[in-house]
Amino acid sequence: MANTFEMPEFSNLQVSVEDSIATVRLNRPEKRNAIDAETVEQLIRLFNGLPRSGIRAVVLCAAGAHFSAGLDLVEHHRQDRSAADFMFICMRWHEAFNKMEYGGIPVIAALKGAVVGGGLELASSAHIRVSDATTYFALPEGQRGLFTGGGATIRVADLVGKARMIDMMLTGRIYKGREAVDIGLCQYLVEDSEAKAMELARIAAKNPPLSNFAICSAIAHMQNMSAFDASYAEAVVAGIVNTQPASRTLLQAFANKTGAKVKPA
Ligand code: 1HE
């Protein structure tokens, strides 16, 4: 599909598109990319429009030295929100992050510096996380007298397990480097996270969009189902994806011995 999506102008995000890959850059470096209410609204608008836009992968990255310092604590403090106000704010975060995780387009997060609190909630909504030597992960909610509200209880617990997440929240424990990879906070540790994320995005963007749609939405949905229902849903999705014209072409190439083999380099 051709690029049909008119990219809106955003104040807190810088979006550019090249070769059907969108680079979405958090753009409040002077505030360490703290996530205010406006940033969430802009993420919703963006990820609402991306599916079926012709965009085949997204690199989610950040301006400045830090990916994101999480919830905009100053805005939260100044607005003196009621419980109902903040519940609504959290529901907007969920709207944005669910659109990312379930939208069917691969989102690769290029991480650096602080990936903390709500910043980790945002990063964990991506499909692949790439770190560099400066990247560190934390959930300082306990120390701030807060609780996660942007999906960490679901996504971070899913990545690292509930015991590690509780430790991070109770004690402010910080993970970085190889240890962060080993416990599942990120999948790659490289010198240049943005370059690696773009490399991965380019690889993923070559897959037929319907395959990527299933990979980047069906797996997350199936995790929410009973094993019995997930196996049914998997069969239905595979019925559609594995008989698509694009897969016939790729299988024909393999049958003709022109398709790539699966072998380590
Ligand atoms: C912010 C924020 C923020 C920076 N909200 N404004 N998140 C946190 O507990 C992390 C809080 N931030 C930090 O610990 C540090 O800022 C960093 C380690 C990330 C970076 O330190 P540094 O020395 O580079 O920057 P700085 O001097 O602390 O901050 C620079 C500016 O960014 C400053 O603003 P300025 O107007 O005084 O220049 C800071 O106020 C601003 N800034 N972080 C607002 N988070 C859905 S619930 C989710 C709950 C959570 O996310 S809890 C985790 C919150």
Side-chain angles (χ1 to χ4, degrees):
M1 198 191 310
N3 281 345
T4 51
F5 178 44
E6 273 291 315
M7 199 65 72
E9 284 292 312
F10 297 107
S11 55
N12 298 355
L13 307 172
Q14 199 182 69
V15 185
S16 59
V17 179
E18 196 188 322
D19 298 336
S20 300
I21 296 173
T23 299
V24 177
R25 191 177 303 278
L26 304 174
N27 200 25
R28 294 177 80 218
E30 70 290 353
K31 299 291 178 194
R32 307 306 183 254
N33 298 309
I35 302 171
D36 62 355
E38 181 55 30
T39 302
V40 174
E41 293 306 317
Q42 293 181 12
L43 285 169
I44 293 171
R45 233 178 301 145
L46 175 69
F47 281 97
N48 210 17
L50 283 187
R52 303 188 60 74
S53 66
I55 296 296
R56 296 182 71 139
V58 173
V59 171
L60 177 68
C61 56
H66 298 279
F67 177 73
S68 171
L71 174 70
D72 189 318
L73 298 170
V74 177
E75 178 186 69
H76 183 62
H77 175 62
R78 288 202 179 129
Q79 293 200 348
D80 195 20
R81 290 163 172 148
S82 67
D85 289 341
F86 197 64
M87 185 175 69
F88 179 75
I89 291 282
C90 291
M91 288 172 72
R92 300 304 283 166
W93 282 52
H94 293 313
E95 178 88 11
F97 296 176
N98 286 340
K99 281 191 190 306
M100 277 175 58
E101 186 180 8
Y102 292 89
I105 297 178
V107 180
I108 326 283
L111 306 175
K112 58 186 165 180
V115 185
V116 307
L120 177 51
E121 295 183 302
L122 171 61
S124 63
S125 309
H127 301 101
I128 303 178
R129 278 155 295 283
V130 182
S131 293
D132 71 13
T134 68
T135 309
Y136 62 94
F137 301 89
L139 292 172
E141 276 80 351
Q143 284 74 53
R144 302 277 185 219
L146 301 173
F147 190 70
T148 56
T153 53
I154 303 137
R155 297 190 182 92
V156 179
D158 200 33
L159 291 177
V160 303
K162 95 181 156 185
R164 281 200 189 92
M165 180 181 169
I166 290 171
D167 178 25
M168 289 172 80
M169 288 185 71
L170 285 178
T171 68
R173 182 169 181 170
I174 292 174
Y175 284 100
K176 59 188 176 59
R178 182 51 50 192
E179 196 181 13
V181 180
D182 290 344
I183 70 164
L185 283 165
C186 54
Q187 293 110 303
Y188 295 86
L189 175 61
V190 296
E191 210 175 298
D192 183 341
S193 56
E194 217 171 297
K196 182 69 181 179
M198 183 52 78
E199 180 192 324
L200 297 172
R202 285 189 190 283
I203 294 170
K206 287 195 191 125
N207 300 334
L210 191 58
S211 295
N212 281 347
F213 174 79
I215 294 165
C216 295
S217 69
I219 294 172
H221 275 294
M222 285 163 193
Q223 295 288 303
N224 303 331
M225 298 176 190
S226 68
F228 187 66
D229 288 334
S231 58
Y232 174 75
E234 185 187 64
V236 173
V237 172
I240 296 166
V241 173
N242 297 9
T243 56
Q244 63 175 314
S247 85
R248 290 192 64 81
T249 309
L250 293 169
L251 293 173
Q252 188 181 24
F254 184 78
N256 292 343
K257 305 212 177 293
T258 55
K261 295 191 181 184
V262 182
K263 278 183 174 178

